[in-house]
Amino acid sequence: MKVLTEIETEVVVAGAGPTGLMLAYELALAGVETLVLEKLHQRVEQVKGGGIQPRTAELLESRGLLAPLLPRAVPGEPASGHFAALPVPLDCAPWRTRHPFPIAIPQWEIEEVLEERAIAAGARVLRGTAVSGVDSDDDGVVVTAGGLRVRARYLAACDGGHSTVRKLLGLPFPGRPGTHQAVLADIRLSAVSSLVPQQMGHMSSLTRHARGYWAMLVPLGDDRYRITFGRADRTDTTRDVPVTPEEITTALQAVYGPETTVGAVENASRFTDATRQVERYRTGRVLFGGDAAHIHPPLGGQGLNLGIQDAFNLGWKLAAVVQDRAPSGLLDSYHAERHPVGAQVLHHTSAQRVLADPNPSEDVAALRDIFIDLLRLPDANRRLAGLVSGLSLRYEMSGEHPLIGQRVPDADLVTETGPTRLSALFGPGHAVLLDLAGTVPDDLRLPPRIDLVRATCADDLGAAALLVRPDGYIRWAADSATPGDTLLAAIAGGLARVH
């Protein structure tokens, strides 16, 4: 009988993808002992999840994580968001953001930075350690992985769409199976035809159809290109079969001519349009995030962003519970807040799936025309821009002030120590009580990890005082009156919902 090494930690995170590593960083930043278990021995450099949406960029910047990522951005990628690849760009400027455009960075580059920072903050990452067993009780969880038996207070399952943890617990993953498959690859071309685009254009103008294939070839600079392709008549949805250079060459030459030659395939992966979501993001001591909680068509670049924002929502709450700064019921607000967000993404990516059909029917073509006209209307464009970028997200929270539940936009402040930006106040991962008009009394006693900052602001943030959660959402606001019971109630409720 194999003897397992027994270890203890406060939180186990299954999966070292963007969601798991972001969560590990948030927990380690708060001083929570965190162990990440990853089945892969080394990171796979696959083309997937390579876009950071504006709201995710804001969140990463608030922790000082955006700056080390920006030098890794892919040159020449589209500088605007889109809805269903329609030829009218989404305008995020009305949402008061410093990051109005998506940023294209390969997923493995994002993972590399997040892993470095998580380890530097104190998290441990064990690779080549696949989870094989999960036992949970009222006091915690026991996770078996490789030669380890790990006892922890909580387990966060961030182990992807084929989540082992979800399967071990026998949890359903309801939704719609995939109906079509496509390939995404980064390639180098040694010869090109006149049909190959030489400069960036909008996605709809880059998509071509020929000989039963559809393909979109995006120039990345020099001889590098990113190709997405599929067959109109292919309904096979198997994702685990490796993509071969021959398969890429066949599709490429069918659409762009026989003289177009593949010099090298740097990486390639398959994806489908499957749509599923777990019924509960929390099952006792186990919590689900990222693709382990939801999968959807990869339209609009939503997956990586949805997972990272799951981690930002869960991280500070789980840390507060583990450190006995909040009751365990605070974790129920993770499901209450994030499940509807995931459902909304599944809903609008399903709509995009129809509109972006590479071989649209006459009816779908007519629908596309209507949507293109609508996107030219500022209000409609703003609505969809906020939806896809994540900037319009508002959580349901108790309280009467109209700002409660909204994200706080970044702003230039002047504090007693000098000029700064509002986003810079969140580097430690604390909540911030921002006093803009001297309304907060000096003798107000705040619990740990809530920082009182007195400042002036040239921009109108809509209130004289704001209590902002560590994930950048406004929990409490006052126009002029001295903070009283409503502020104390917001703090006592763990900065989430007050029931």
Side-chain angles (χ1 to χ4, degrees):
M1 183 176 179
K2 186 177 181 179
V3 178
L4 300 177
T5 300
E6 302 269 352
I7 61 175
E8 291 188 3
T9 190
E10 290 180 312
V11 175
V12 171
V13 177
T19 305
L21 292 171
M22 187 70 248
L23 179 59
Y25 176 79
E26 287 290 278
L27 293 170
L29 187 65
V32 175
E33 188 179 20
T34 305
L35 175 65
V36 181
L37 303 176
E38 170 55 52
K39 66 180 179 180
L40 297 179
H41 289 272
Q42 59 184 11
R43 187 173 293 106
V44 177
E45 296 187 359
Q46 279 190 340
V47 182
K48 60 177 182 177
I52 296 177
Q53 290 286 356
R55 180 54 184 153
T56 304
E58 290 181 341
L59 290 168
L60 291 170
E61 186 170 47
S62 74
R63 297 294 190 269
L65 297 172
L66 186 61
L69 285 169
L70 289 179
R72 301 169 183 246
V74 177
E77 281 285 89
S80 62
H82 67 89
F83 189 84
L86 297 176
V88 179
L90 297 178
D91 181 11
C92 290
W95 290 102
R96 298 178 65 184
T97 178
R98 296 177 189 261
H99 304 285
F101 308 116
I103 304 168
I105 303 174
Q107 178 169 315
W108 71 85
E109 301 264 24
I110 297 171
E111 291 175 357
E112 186 174 276
V113 169
L114 293 180
E115 184 168 344
E116 289 174 354
R117 296 305 175 97
I119 291 173
R124 291 180 293 166
V125 179
L126 296 182
R127 291 189 169 272
T129 311
V131 173
S132 58
V134 176
D135 292 305
S136 180
D137 56 34
D138 292 340
D139 298 320
V141 292
V142 175
V143 179
T144 304
L148 300 177
R149 181 180 171 86
V150 185
R151 179 78 187 183
R153 292 185 62 181
Y154 289 92
L155 164 64
C158 306
D159 52 342
H162 299 288
S163 171
T164 297
V165 174
R166 193 183 63 236
K167 293 174 181 177
L168 287 170
L169 296 179
L171 298 178
F173 201 29
R176 185 188 65 228
T179 59
H180 293 85
Q181 178 202 104
V183 171
L184 183 62
D186 279 348
I187 61 176
R188 292 184 178 273
L189 298 182
S190 56
V192 300
S193 73
S194 60
L195 299 176
V196 173
Q198 297 303 307
Q199 60 184 9
M200 180 57 59
H202 194 271
M203 292 179 65
S204 62
S205 67
L206 295 173
T207 302
R208 295 180 56 85
H209 303 78
R211 297 181 178 87
Y213 284 93
W214 63 268
M216 181 176 66
L217 196 61
V218 178
L220 301 179
D222 298 326
D223 60 347
R224 296 183 64 245
Y225 291 80
R226 177 164 295 166
I227 186 171
T228 310
F229 70 86
R231 289 188 63 94
D233 59 351
R234 184 167 183 176
T235 58
D236 176 23
T237 57
T238 302
R239 295 181 56 186
D240 298 332
V241 178
V243 179
T244 65
E246 293 76 17
E247 182 181 359
I248 296 173
T249 296
T250 299
L252 183 74
Q253 294 185 344
V255 178
Y256 296 97
E259 62 270 43
T260 303
T261 306
V262 177
V265 177
E266 295 184 341
N267 50 77
S269 61
R270 301 184 192 275
F271 63 88
T272 75
D273 59 348
T275 300
R276 299 183 182 278
Q277 186 179 27
V278 292
E279 295 171 340
R280 298 290 305 175
Y281 281 20
R282 180 189 183 188
T283 301
R285 294 275 177 161
V286 182
L287 302 116
F288 291 86
D291 288 354
H294 40 68
I295 59 173
H296 51 79
L299 291 158
Q302 300 295 285
L304 180 146
N305 298 276
L306 189 59
I308 286 183
Q309 291 174 46
D310 286 345
F312 266 91
N313 186 285
L314 176 59
W316 65 270
K317 296 175 181 178
L318 185 53
V321 171
V322 168
Q323 295 172 341
D324 297 323
R325 293 184 283 106
S328 64
L330 176 62
L331 294 178
D332 293 330
S333 73
Y334 169 61
H335 169 85
E337 291 182 349
R338 294 304 298 172
H339 191 277
V341 176
Q344 185 181 56
V345 170
L346 266 63
H347 189 63
H348 75 70
T349 53
S350 293
Q352 292 188 68
R353 169 182 172 273
V354 174
L355 290 168
D357 189 332
N359 295 283
S361 66
E362 184 177 345
D363 290 343
V364 171
L367 186 63
R368 285 171 59 91
D369 289 340
I370 296 295
F371 254 84
I372 289 170
D373 287 342
L374 289 173
L375 281 170
R376 295 192 176 105
L377 301 176
D379 286 347
N381 193 294
R382 180 181 185 274
R383 164 64 178 159
L384 291 179
L387 193 67
V388 171
S389 66
L391 295 171
S392 64
L393 171 61
R394 179 175 185 167
Y395 292 126
E396 291 186 11
M397 302 180 195
S398 62
E400 297 181 357
H401 199 283
L403 291 180
I404 292 175
Q406 295 184 19
R407 75 181 237 285
V408 62
D410 198 0
D412 292 315
L413 305 176
V414 178
T415 70
E416 59 184 14
T417 59
T420 187
R421 280 170 52 182
L422 198 157
S423 59
L425 304 180
F426 295 92
H430 296 183
V432 172
L433 178 56
L434 182 62
D435 183 5
L436 296 170
T439 62
V440 178
D442 293 332
D443 59 353
L444 180 67
R445 297 183 63 183
L446 294 173
R449 300 187 68 83
I450 299 180
D451 298 333
L452 172 60
V453 178
R454 302 185 191 276
T456 59
C457 181
D459 296 330
D460 181 10
L461 292 180
L466 300 165
L467 176 62
V468 187
R469 304 188 324 184
D471 57 354
Y473 290 88
I474 299 169
R475 180 60 196 90
W476 171 90
D479 292 329
S480 58
T482 300
D485 293 342
T486 57
L487 172 60
L488 299 178
I491 293 173
L495 303 181
R497 297 184 176 205
V498 179
H499 301 282

